[in-house]
Structures are given as C-alpha cells and as structure tokens.
Coordinates of all heavy atoms in Angstrom, one line a residue:
L3 N 0.8 -1.2 0.1 CA 0.0 0.0 0.0 C 0.9 1.3 0.0 O 1.8 1.3 0.8 CB -0.9 0.0 1.3 CG -1.8 1.2 1.4 CD1 -2.9 1.3 0.3 CD2 -2.5 1.0 2.8
F4 N 0.6 2.2 -0.9 CA 1.4 3.4 -1.0 C 0.5 4.5 -0.7 O -0.7 4.5 -0.9 CB 1.9 3.5 -2.4 CG 2.8 2.5 -2.9 CD1 2.3 1.5 -3.7 CD2 4.1 2.6 -2.6 CE1 3.2 0.4 -4.0 CE2 5.0 1.6 -3.1 CZ 4.5 0.5 -3.8
V5 N 1.0 5.6 -0.1 CA 0.3 6.8 0.2 C 0.9 7.9 -0.7 O 2.2 8.2 -0.4 CB 0.3 7.2 1.8 CG1 -0.4 8.5 2.0 CG2 -0.3 6.0 2.6
L6 N 0.1 8.5 -1.5 CA 0.6 9.5 -2.4 C 0.1 10.9 -1.9 O -1.1 11.0 -1.7 CB 0.3 9.3 -3.8 CG 0.7 7.9 -4.4 CD1 0.1 7.7 -5.7 CD2 2.3 7.8 -4.3
S7 N 0.9 11.9 -1.9 CA 0.4 13.2 -1.5 C 0.4 14.0 -2.8 O 1.3 13.8 -3.7 CB 1.4 13.9 -0.5 OG 1.2 13.2 0.7
S8 N -0.3 15.1 -2.8 CA -0.3 16.1 -4.0 C 1.1 16.7 -4.0 O 1.7 16.9 -2.9 CB -1.4 17.1 -3.9 OG -1.3 17.8 -2.7
P9 N 1.7 17.1 -5.2 CA 2.9 17.7 -5.3 C 3.1 19.0 -4.5 O 4.2 19.2 -4.0 CB 3.1 17.9 -6.8 CG 2.1 17.1 -7.4 CD 1.0 16.9 -6.5
A10 N 2.1 19.7 -4.3 CA 2.2 20.9 -3.6 C 2.5 20.8 -2.1 O 3.1 21.7 -1.6 CB 0.9 21.8 -3.8
T11 N 2.2 19.6 -1.5 CA 2.4 19.3 -0.1 C 3.6 18.5 0.2 O 3.8 18.0 1.3 CB 1.1 18.8 0.5 OG1 0.8 17.5 -0.1 CG2 -0.1 19.8 0.3
M12 N 4.4 18.0 -0.9 CA 5.4 17.2 -0.7 C 6.4 17.5 0.4 O 6.8 16.7 1.3 CB 6.0 16.8 -1.9 CG 5.3 16.1 -3.0 SD 4.8 14.4 -2.4 CE 6.3 13.6 -2.9
G13 N 6.9 18.7 0.5 CA 7.9 19.2 1.5 C 7.3 19.7 2.8 O 8.2 20.1 3.6
E14 N 6.1 19.7 3.0 CA 5.6 20.3 4.2 C 5.5 19.3 5.3 O 5.5 18.1 5.2 CB 4.1 20.8 3.9 CG 4.1 21.9 2.8 CD 2.6 22.3 2.6 OE1 1.7 21.8 3.1 OE2 2.4 23.3 1.7
P15 N 5.5 19.8 6.6 CA 5.4 18.9 7.8 C 4.1 18.1 7.7 O 3.1 18.6 7.1 CB 5.4 19.9 9.0 CG 6.0 21.1 8.4 CD 5.6 21.2 7.0
A16 N 4.0 17.0 8.3 CA 3.0 16.2 8.3 C 1.7 16.8 8.9 O 0.6 16.5 8.5 CB 3.3 14.8 9.0
Q17 N 1.9 17.6 10.0 CA 0.8 18.2 10.7 C 0.1 19.1 9.7 O -1.2 19.2 9.6 CB 1.2 18.9 11.9 CG 0.1 19.4 12.7 CD 0.6 19.9 14.1 OE1 1.7 20.4 14.2 NE2 -0.2 19.7 15.2
K18 N 0.9 20.0 9.0 CA 0.3 20.9 8.0 C -0.4 20.2 6.8 O -1.4 20.7 6.3 CB 1.3 21.9 7.5 CG 0.8 23.0 6.7 CD 1.8 24.0 6.3 CE 1.1 25.1 5.5 NZ 2.1 26.3 5.2
K19 N 0.2 19.1 6.4 CA -0.3 18.3 5.3 C -1.8 17.8 5.7 O -2.7 17.9 4.9 CB 0.6 17.0 5.0 CG 1.5 17.2 4.0 CD 2.1 15.9 3.6 CE 3.6 15.9 3.4 NZ 4.2 14.7 3.1
A20 N -1.9 17.4 6.9 CA -3.1 16.8 7.4 C -4.2 17.9 7.3 O -5.4 17.5 7.0 CB -3.1 16.3 8.8
K21 N -3.9 19.1 7.5 CA -4.9 20.2 7.5 C -5.2 20.7 5.9 O -6.3 21.1 5.6 CB -4.5 21.4 8.3 CG -4.5 21.1 9.8 CD -4.0 22.3 10.6 CE -3.9 21.9 12.0 NZ -3.4 23.0 12.8
T22 N -4.2 20.7 5.2 CA -4.2 21.4 3.8 C -4.2 20.5 2.7 O -4.6 20.7 1.7 CB -3.2 22.5 3.6 OG1 -1.9 21.9 3.7 CG2 -3.3 23.6 4.7
G23 N -3.4 19.4 2.8 CA -3.1 18.5 1.7 C -4.2 17.4 1.5 O -4.8 17.1 2.4
R24 N -4.2 16.9 0.3 CA -5.1 15.9 -0.1 C -4.2 14.5 -0.1 O -3.1 14.6 -0.6 CB -5.7 16.1 -1.5 CG -6.7 17.2 -1.4 CD -7.3 17.6 -2.7 NE -7.4 16.4 -3.7 CZ -7.7 16.5 -5.0 NH1 -7.7 17.7 -5.5 NH2 -7.8 15.4 -5.7
V25 N -4.7 13.6 0.5 CA -4.0 12.3 0.6 C -4.7 11.2 -0.4 O -5.9 11.1 -0.4 CB -4.0 11.8 1.9 CG1 -3.2 10.4 2.1 CG2 -3.2 12.8 2.9
F26 N -3.8 10.7 -1.2 CA -4.4 9.6 -2.1 C -3.9 8.3 -1.7 O -2.6 8.2 -1.4 CB -4.0 9.9 -3.5 CG -4.5 11.2 -4.0 CD1 -3.6 12.3 -3.9 CD2 -5.7 11.4 -4.5 CE1 -4.0 13.6 -4.4 CE2 -6.1 12.6 -5.0 CZ -5.3 13.7 -4.9
L27 N -4.7 7.2 -1.7 CA -4.2 5.9 -1.5 C -4.2 5.1 -2.7 O -5.1 5.2 -3.6 CB -5.2 5.2 -0.5 CG -5.3 5.8 0.9 CD1 -6.3 5.1 1.8 CD2 -4.0 5.8 1.6
F28 N -3.0 4.4 -2.9 CA -2.9 3.7 -4.1 C -2.6 2.2 -3.7 O -1.7 2.1 -2.8 CB -1.7 4.2 -5.0 CG -1.3 3.4 -6.1 CD1 -2.0 3.4 -7.2 CD2 -0.2 2.5 -5.9 CE1 -1.7 2.5 -8.4 CE2 0.2 1.7 -7.1 CZ -0.5 1.7 -8.3
S29 N -3.2 1.2 -4.3 CA -2.8 -0.1 -4.0 C -2.9 -1.0 -5.3 O -3.4 -0.6 -6.3 CB -3.9 -0.7 -3.0 OG -5.1 -0.9 -3.6
S30 N -2.2 -2.1 -5.3 CA -2.2 -2.9 -6.4 C -1.9 -4.4 -6.0 O -1.3 -4.5 -4.9 CB -1.1 -2.5 -7.5 OG 0.3 -2.6 -7.0
E31 N -2.2 -5.3 -6.9 CA -1.8 -6.6 -6.6 C -0.8 -7.2 -7.6 O -0.7 -6.7 -8.7 CB -3.1 -7.5 -6.4 CG -3.7 -7.7 -7.9 CD -4.9 -8.7 -7.8 OE1 -5.2 -9.2 -6.8 OE2 -5.6 -8.9 -8.8
S32 N -0.2 -8.2 -7.2 CA 0.8 -8.8 -8.1 C 0.8 -10.3 -7.9 O 0.8 -10.8 -6.8 CB 2.3 -8.3 -7.8 OG 3.2 -8.9 -8.7
V33 N 0.7 -11.0 -9.0 CA 0.7 -12.4 -9.0 C 1.8 -13.0 -9.9 O 2.1 -12.3 -10.8 CB -0.7 -13.0 -9.3 CG1 -1.8 -12.7 -8.4 CG2 -1.2 -12.6 -10.8
N34 N 2.2 -14.1 -9.6 CA 3.2 -14.8 -10.4 C 2.7 -15.4 -11.8 O 1.5 -15.5 -11.9 CB 3.9 -16.0 -9.6 CG 4.7 -15.5 -8.5 OD1 5.2 -14.4 -8.5 ND2 4.7 -16.3 -7.4
E35 N 3.7 -15.6 -12.7 CA 3.3 -16.1 -14.0 C 2.6 -17.6 -13.8 O 3.1 -18.3 -12.9 CB 4.6 -16.4 -14.8 CG 4.3 -16.8 -16.3 CD 5.6 -16.9 -17.0 OE1 6.5 -16.2 -16.6 OE2 5.7 -17.7 -18.0
G36 N 1.6 -17.8 -14.5 CA 0.8 -18.9 -14.4 C -0.3 -19.0 -13.4 O -1.1 -19.9 -13.2
H37 N -0.5 -17.9 -12.7 CA -1.5 -17.7 -11.7 C -2.8 -17.7 -12.3 O -3.0 -17.0 -13.4 CB -1.3 -16.5 -10.8 CG -2.2 -16.4 -9.6 ND1 -3.4 -16.0 -9.7 CD2 -1.8 -16.7 -8.3 CE1 -4.0 -16.1 -8.5 NE2 -3.0 -16.4 -7.6
P38 N -4.0 -18.3 -11.8 CA -5.3 -18.3 -12.4 C -5.8 -16.8 -12.7 O -6.5 -16.6 -13.7 CB -6.1 -19.0 -11.5 CG -5.3 -19.9 -10.7 CD -3.9 -19.1 -10.7
D39 N -5.4 -15.8 -11.8 CA -5.8 -14.4 -12.1 C -5.4 -14.0 -13.4 O -6.1 -13.1 -14.1 CB -5.4 -13.6 -11.0 CG -6.2 -13.6 -9.7 OD1 -7.3 -14.4 -9.8 OD2 -5.9 -13.0 -8.7
K40 N -4.2 -14.4 -13.9 CA -3.7 -13.8 -15.1 C -4.5 -14.5 -16.3 O -4.9 -13.8 -17.3 CB -2.2 -14.3 -15.4 CG -1.3 -13.5 -14.5 CD 0.1 -13.5 -15.0 CE 1.0 -12.6 -14.1 NZ 1.0 -11.3 -14.2
L41 N -4.9 -15.7 -16.2 CA -5.8 -16.4 -17.2 C -7.1 -15.7 -17.2 O -7.7 -15.3 -18.3 CB -6.0 -17.8 -16.8 CG -7.0 -18.5 -17.8 CD1 -6.6 -18.7 -19.2 CD2 -7.4 -19.9 -17.2
C42 N -7.7 -15.4 -16.0 CA -9.0 -14.7 -15.9 C -8.9 -13.3 -16.6 O -9.9 -12.9 -17.2 CB -9.4 -14.6 -14.4 SG -9.9 -16.3 -13.7
D43 N -7.9 -12.6 -16.4 CA -7.8 -11.2 -16.9 C -7.7 -11.3 -18.4 O -8.4 -10.6 -19.1 CB -6.5 -10.5 -16.4 CG -6.6 -10.1 -14.9 OD1 -7.7 -10.0 -14.5 OD2 -5.5 -9.8 -14.3
Q44 N -7.0 -12.3 -18.9 CA -7.0 -12.5 -20.4 C -8.2 -12.8 -21.1 O -8.6 -12.3 -22.1 CB -5.9 -13.6 -20.7 CG -4.5 -13.2 -20.5 CD -3.5 -14.3 -20.9 OE1 -3.8 -15.5 -20.8 NE2 -2.3 -13.9 -21.2
V45 N -9.1 -13.6 -20.4 CA -10.3 -14.0 -20.8 C -11.3 -12.8 -20.8 O -12.0 -12.5 -21.8 CB -11.0 -15.2 -20.1 CG1 -12.5 -15.5 -20.4 CG2 -10.2 -16.5 -20.2
S46 N -11.2 -12.1 -19.8 CA -12.1 -10.9 -19.7 C -11.7 -9.9 -20.7 O -12.6 -9.3 -21.4 CB -12.0 -10.2 -18.3 OG -12.6 -11.0 -17.3
D47 N -10.5 -9.7 -21.0 CA -10.0 -8.8 -22.0 C -10.5 -9.2 -23.5 O -10.7 -8.4 -24.3 CB -8.5 -8.6 -21.9 CG -8.0 -7.9 -20.8 OD1 -8.9 -7.2 -20.2 OD2 -6.8 -7.9 -20.5
A48 N -10.3 -10.5 -23.6 CA -10.8 -11.1 -24.9 C -12.3 -11.0 -25.2 O -12.7 -10.6 -26.3 CB -10.3 -12.6 -25.0
V49 N -13.1 -11.0 -24.1 CA -14.5 -10.9 -24.3 C -14.7 -9.4 -24.6 O -15.5 -9.1 -25.6 CB -15.3 -11.4 -23.0 CG1 -16.7 -10.8 -23.1 CG2 -15.2 -12.8 -22.8
L50 N -14.1 -8.5 -23.9 CA -14.3 -7.1 -24.2 C -13.8 -6.6 -25.6 O -14.6 -6.1 -26.3 CB -13.4 -6.3 -23.2 CG -13.5 -4.8 -23.5 CD1 -14.9 -4.1 -23.3 CD2 -12.5 -4.1 -22.4
D51 N -12.7 -7.1 -26.0 CA -12.1 -6.9 -27.4 C -13.1 -7.5 -28.4 O -13.3 -6.8 -29.4 CB -10.7 -7.6 -27.5 CG -9.7 -6.8 -26.7 OD1 -10.0 -5.7 -26.2 OD2 -8.6 -7.4 -26.5
T52 N -13.6 -8.7 -28.2 CA -14.5 -9.3 -29.2 C -15.7 -8.5 -29.4 O -16.2 -8.2 -30.5 CB -14.8 -10.7 -28.9 OG1 -13.6 -11.5 -28.8 CG2 -15.7 -11.4 -29.8
C53 N -16.4 -8.1 -28.2 CA -17.7 -7.3 -28.2 C -17.4 -6.0 -28.9 O -18.2 -5.6 -29.9 CB -18.1 -7.0 -26.9 SG -18.8 -8.5 -26.0
L54 N -16.2 -5.3 -28.6 CA -16.1 -4.0 -29.2 C -15.7 -4.0 -30.6 O -15.9 -3.1 -31.4 CB -15.0 -3.3 -28.4 CG -15.3 -2.8 -27.0 CD1 -14.1 -2.1 -26.3 CD2 -16.5 -1.8 -27.0
T55 N -15.0 -5.1 -31.1 CA -14.6 -5.2 -32.5 C -15.9 -5.3 -33.3 O -16.0 -4.7 -34.4 CB -13.8 -6.5 -32.7 OG1 -12.6 -6.3 -32.0 CG2 -13.5 -6.8 -34.2
E56 N -16.9 -6.1 -32.8 CA -18.1 -6.4 -33.5 C -19.1 -5.2 -33.4 O -20.0 -4.9 -34.3 CB -18.7 -7.6 -33.3 CG -17.9 -8.8 -33.8 CD -18.5 -10.2 -33.5 OE1 -19.7 -10.2 -33.7 OE2 -17.9 -11.1 -33.2
D57 N -19.1 -4.5 -32.2 CA -20.2 -3.6 -31.9 C -19.5 -2.5 -31.0 O -19.3 -2.7 -29.8 CB -21.3 -4.1 -31.1 CG -22.3 -3.1 -30.8 OD1 -22.3 -1.9 -31.2 OD2 -23.3 -3.4 -30.0
P58 N -18.9 -1.4 -31.6 CA -18.3 -0.4 -30.8 C -19.0 0.2 -29.7 O -18.5 1.0 -28.8 CB -17.8 0.6 -31.9 CG -17.9 -0.1 -33.2 CD -18.9 -1.2 -33.0
K59 N -20.4 0.1 -29.8 CA -21.1 0.7 -28.7 C -21.4 -0.3 -27.6 O -22.3 0.0 -26.7 CB -22.5 1.2 -29.2 CG -22.3 2.3 -30.2 CD -23.6 2.9 -30.8 CE -23.4 4.1 -31.7 NZ -24.6 4.6 -32.2
S60 N -20.8 -1.4 -27.6 CA -21.0 -2.5 -26.6 C -20.6 -1.9 -25.1 O -19.8 -1.1 -25.0 CB -20.0 -3.7 -26.7 OG -20.4 -4.3 -27.9
K61 N -21.4 -2.3 -24.1 CA -21.2 -2.1 -22.8 C -20.8 -3.4 -22.1 O -21.7 -4.3 -22.0 CB -22.4 -1.4 -22.1 CG -23.0 -0.2 -22.8 CD -22.2 1.0 -22.4 CE -22.9 2.2 -22.9 NZ -22.4 2.8 -24.1
V62 N -19.6 -3.5 -21.6 CA -19.2 -4.8 -21.0 C -18.7 -4.6 -19.6 O -17.8 -3.7 -19.3 CB -18.0 -5.4 -21.9 CG1 -17.5 -6.7 -21.3 CG2 -18.5 -5.6 -23.3
A63 N -19.3 -5.3 -18.6 CA -18.8 -5.3 -17.3 C -18.8 -6.8 -16.8 O -19.8 -7.3 -16.3 CB -19.6 -4.5 -16.4
C64 N -17.7 -7.4 -17.2 CA -17.7 -8.9 -16.9 C -16.4 -9.3 -16.1 O -15.4 -8.6 -16.1 CB -17.6 -9.7 -18.3 SG -16.1 -9.7 -19.2
E65 N -16.6 -10.3 -15.3 CA -15.6 -10.9 -14.6 C -15.4 -12.4 -14.9 O -16.4 -13.0 -15.3 CB -15.9 -10.9 -13.1 CG -15.9 -9.4 -12.4 CD -14.5 -8.9 -12.3 OE1 -13.6 -9.7 -12.1 OE2 -14.4 -7.7 -12.2
T66 N -14.2 -12.9 -14.8 CA -14.0 -14.3 -15.2 C -13.4 -14.9 -13.9 O -12.6 -14.4 -13.3 CB -13.1 -14.4 -16.3 OG1 -13.5 -13.7 -17.5 CG2 -12.8 -15.9 -16.7
V67 N -13.9 -16.2 -13.6 CA -13.5 -16.9 -12.5 C -13.2 -18.4 -13.1 O -13.7 -18.8 -14.0 CB -14.5 -17.0 -11.3 CG1 -14.7 -15.6 -10.7 CG2 -15.8 -17.6 -11.7
T68 N -12.2 -19.0 -12.4 CA -11.8 -20.3 -12.8 C -11.4 -21.2 -11.6 O -11.0 -20.7 -10.5 CB -10.6 -20.2 -13.8 OG1 -10.3 -21.6 -14.3 CG2 -9.4 -19.7 -13.1
K69 N -11.8 -22.5 -11.8 CA -11.3 -23.5 -10.7 C -11.2 -24.8 -11.5 O -12.1 -25.2 -12.3 CB -12.3 -23.5 -9.6 CG -12.0 -24.6 -8.5 CD -12.8 -24.3 -7.4 CE -12.6 -25.5 -6.3 NZ -11.4 -25.6 -5.8
D70 N -10.2 -25.6 -11.3 CA -10.0 -26.8 -11.8 C -10.1 -26.7 -13.3 O -9.3 -25.9 -13.9 CB -10.9 -27.9 -11.4 CG -10.8 -28.1 -9.8 OD1 -9.7 -28.0 -9.3 OD2 -11.7 -28.4 -9.2
N71 N -11.1 -27.4 -14.1 CA -11.1 -27.3 -15.5 C -12.3 -26.4 -15.9 O -12.9 -26.7 -17.0 CB -11.2 -28.7 -16.2 CG -9.9 -29.4 -16.0 OD1 -8.7 -28.8 -16.1 ND2 -10.0 -30.7 -15.7
M72 N -12.8 -25.6 -15.1 CA -13.9 -24.7 -15.4 C -13.6 -23.3 -15.4 O -12.8 -22.8 -14.7 CB -15.0 -24.9 -14.3 CG -16.3 -24.1 -14.7 SD -17.2 -23.8 -13.2 CE -16.4 -22.7 -12.2
V73 N -14.1 -22.6 -16.5 CA -14.0 -21.1 -16.6 C -15.4 -20.5 -16.6 O -16.2 -21.0 -17.5 CB -13.2 -20.7 -17.8 CG1 -13.2 -19.1 -18.0 CG2 -11.8 -21.3 -17.8
M74 N -15.7 -19.5 -15.8 CA -17.1 -18.9 -15.9 C -16.9 -17.4 -16.1 O -16.1 -16.7 -15.4 CB -17.7 -19.2 -14.5 CG -19.2 -18.5 -14.4 SD -20.0 -19.0 -13.0 CE -19.0 -18.3 -11.7
V75 N -17.6 -16.9 -17.1 CA -17.6 -15.4 -17.4 C -18.9 -15.0 -16.9 O -20.0 -15.5 -17.2 CB -17.5 -15.2 -18.9 CG1 -17.6 -13.7 -19.2 CG2 -16.2 -15.8 -19.4
A76 N -18.9 -14.0 -16.0 CA -20.2 -13.5 -15.4 C -20.1 -12.0 -15.5 O -19.1 -11.3 -15.5 CB -20.3 -14.0 -14.0
G77 N -21.3 -11.5 -15.4 CA -21.5 -10.1 -15.4 C -22.6 -9.5 -16.3 O -23.4 -10.2 -16.6
E78 N -22.4 -8.2 -16.7 CA -23.4 -7.6 -17.6 C -22.8 -7.3 -18.9 O -21.8 -6.5 -18.9 CB -24.0 -6.4 -16.9 CG -24.6 -6.6 -15.7 CD -25.1 -5.3 -15.1 OE1 -25.7 -4.4 -15.8 OE2 -25.0 -5.2 -13.8
I79 N -23.3 -7.8 -20.0 CA -22.9 -7.4 -21.4 C -24.1 -7.0 -22.2 O -25.1 -7.7 -22.4 CB -22.1 -8.6 -22.0 CG1 -21.0 -9.0 -21.1 CG2 -21.8 -8.3 -23.4 CD1 -20.2 -10.3 -21.6
T80 N -24.0 -5.8 -22.7 CA -25.0 -5.3 -23.6 C -24.3 -5.0 -25.0 O -23.4 -4.1 -25.1 CB -25.6 -3.9 -23.0 OG1 -26.1 -4.2 -21.7 CG2 -26.7 -3.4 -23.9
T81 N -24.7 -5.8 -26.0 CA -24.0 -5.7 -27.3 C -24.9 -6.3 -28.4 O -25.9 -7.1 -28.0 CB -22.7 -6.5 -27.2 OG1 -22.1 -6.2 -28.5 CG2 -22.8 -7.9 -27.1
Q82 N -24.8 -5.8 -29.6 CA -25.5 -6.3 -30.7 C -24.6 -7.5 -31.3 O -25.1 -8.2 -32.3 CB -25.7 -5.2 -31.7 CG -26.7 -4.1 -31.3 CD -28.0 -4.6 -30.9 OE1 -28.6 -5.4 -31.6 NE2 -28.5 -4.2 -29.8
A83 N -23.4 -7.6 -30.9 CA -22.5 -8.7 -31.4 C -23.0 -10.0 -31.0 O -23.6 -10.2 -30.0 CB -21.1 -8.4 -30.9
K84 N -22.7 -11.0 -32.0 CA -23.0 -12.3 -31.7 C -21.7 -13.0 -31.3 O -20.9 -13.2 -32.1 CB -23.7 -13.1 -32.9 CG -24.9 -12.4 -33.5 CD -26.0 -12.6 -32.4 CE -27.3 -11.9 -32.9 NZ -28.0 -11.2 -31.9
I85 N -21.6 -13.4 -30.0 CA -20.4 -13.8 -29.4 C -20.4 -15.3 -29.2 O -21.3 -15.9 -28.6 CB -19.9 -13.1 -28.1 CG1 -20.0 -11.6 -28.3 CG2 -18.7 -13.6 -27.6 CD1 -19.0 -11.0 -29.2
D86 N -19.4 -16.1 -29.7 CA -19.1 -17.5 -29.4 C -18.3 -17.5 -28.2 O -17.0 -17.5 -28.3 CB -18.6 -18.2 -30.6 CG -18.4 -19.7 -30.3 OD1 -18.8 -20.2 -29.1 OD2 -18.1 -20.4 -31.2
Y87 N -18.8 -17.5 -27.0 CA -18.1 -17.4 -25.8 C -17.0 -18.6 -25.7 O -16.0 -18.3 -25.2 CB -18.9 -17.2 -24.5 CG -19.7 -15.9 -24.5 CD1 -21.0 -15.8 -24.9 CD2 -19.0 -14.8 -24.1 CE1 -21.6 -14.5 -25.0 CE2 -19.6 -13.5 -24.1 CZ -21.0 -13.4 -24.5 OH -21.6 -12.2 -24.6
D88 N -17.6 -19.8 -26.0 CA -16.7 -20.9 -25.8 C -15.5 -20.7 -26.7 O -14.2 -21.0 -26.2 CB -17.3 -22.2 -26.4 CG -18.2 -22.8 -25.5 OD1 -18.1 -22.4 -24.2 OD2 -19.2 -23.5 -25.7
K89 N -15.5 -20.2 -27.9 CA -14.4 -19.9 -28.8 C -13.6 -18.9 -28.2 O -12.2 -18.9 -28.2 CB -14.9 -19.5 -30.2 CG -13.8 -19.2 -31.2 CD -14.3 -18.8 -32.4 CE -13.2 -18.5 -33.5 NZ -13.8 -18.0 -34.7
V90 N -14.1 -17.8 -27.6 CA -13.4 -16.7 -27.0 C -12.5 -17.2 -25.8 O -11.3 -16.9 -25.7 CB -14.3 -15.5 -26.6 CG1 -13.4 -14.5 -25.9 CG2 -14.9 -14.9 -27.8
V91 N -13.1 -18.0 -25.0 CA -12.5 -18.5 -23.8 C -11.4 -19.5 -24.1 O -10.3 -19.4 -23.7 CB -13.4 -19.2 -22.9 CG1 -12.7 -20.0 -21.8 CG2 -14.4 -18.2 -22.2
R92 N -11.6 -20.3 -25.1 CA -10.5 -21.3 -25.6 C -9.4 -20.6 -26.2 O -8.3 -21.1 -26.3 CB -11.1 -22.4 -26.4 CG -12.0 -23.3 -25.6 CD -12.7 -24.3 -26.4 NE -13.8 -25.0 -25.7 CZ -13.7 -25.9 -24.8 NH1 -12.6 -26.3 -24.5 NH2 -14.8 -26.4 -24.2

C-alpha cells in the first residue's frame, strides 16, 4: 500500500499536510506467472475486445473466474454482437 500526496504538499510537515493537503491511497496486486488471475484477466479482456470489435457501442462489465477445468464468465454485457463465448475462452 502506497500513500501519495499532492505535489504542492510534498515538502511540508505532516501536521500541516493533514490540514491542507489531499492524501491519495494507491494499492495494487501482483501475482506470479501461471496464476489463475492472469488467465481470468486474459479471458475478460478477450470478451471485451470481441464485443467492441463487432459492436463499438458495446457495454461490458464482466468478470472471469476459474477453478480446476472450469471457466465462468459472469457480469453484464450489452451488445449487438453475436459472441461465441466458448471460442473466445478457448
């Protein structure tokens, strides 16, 4: 977890920052190569890319989950595109 301050308050004492500065919190996750999250991200990105390629007005809010030999794409997808989800996932 990183705490980022605005550039104007970088050199000021902490007490003054608390009164005048804005504090931003930044967090990120990292997983190793071969982790299921990387596969899930690739599948979600592929679904989005496929929808937008066929229908640029697509609205896609999907998540992908996986366990053992199963992949599940869930969420809300509004598109005029005809998607073969099995093909996209494979």
Side-chain angles (χ1 to χ4, degrees):
L3 178 66
F4 299 95
V5 177
L6 303 175
S7 296
S8 60
T11 62
M12 292 294 280
E14 297 177 2
Q17 192 174 30
K18 187 171 181 182
K19 267 191 222 181
K21 292 180 183 177
T22 62
R24 293 174 36 194
V25 176
F26 301 93
L27 296 178
F28 173 78
S29 67
S30 65
E31 69 176 354
S32 177
V33 294
N34 293 329
E35 186 176 339
H37 192 280
D39 279 354
K40 291 204 181 275
L41 171 70
C42 291
D43 288 344
Q44 288 179 335
V45 171
S46 294
D47 289 347
V49 169
L50 174 63
D51 291 344
T52 303
C53 289
L54 291 176
T55 298
E56 294 186 35
D57 178 11
K59 294 183 179 182
S60 295
K61 305 279 191 266
V62 179
C64 74
E65 290 288 332
T66 303
V67 295
T68 185
K69 181 168 171 62
D70 299 328
N71 290 324
M72 179 198 70
V73 176
M74 179 174 61
V75 179
E78 299 177 42
I79 299 175
T80 304
T81 184
Q82 297 299 314
K84 302 296 181 217
I85 308 297
D86 180 356
Y87 293 97
D88 285 339
K89 183 178 176 186
V90 172
V91 170
R92 292 177 196 278

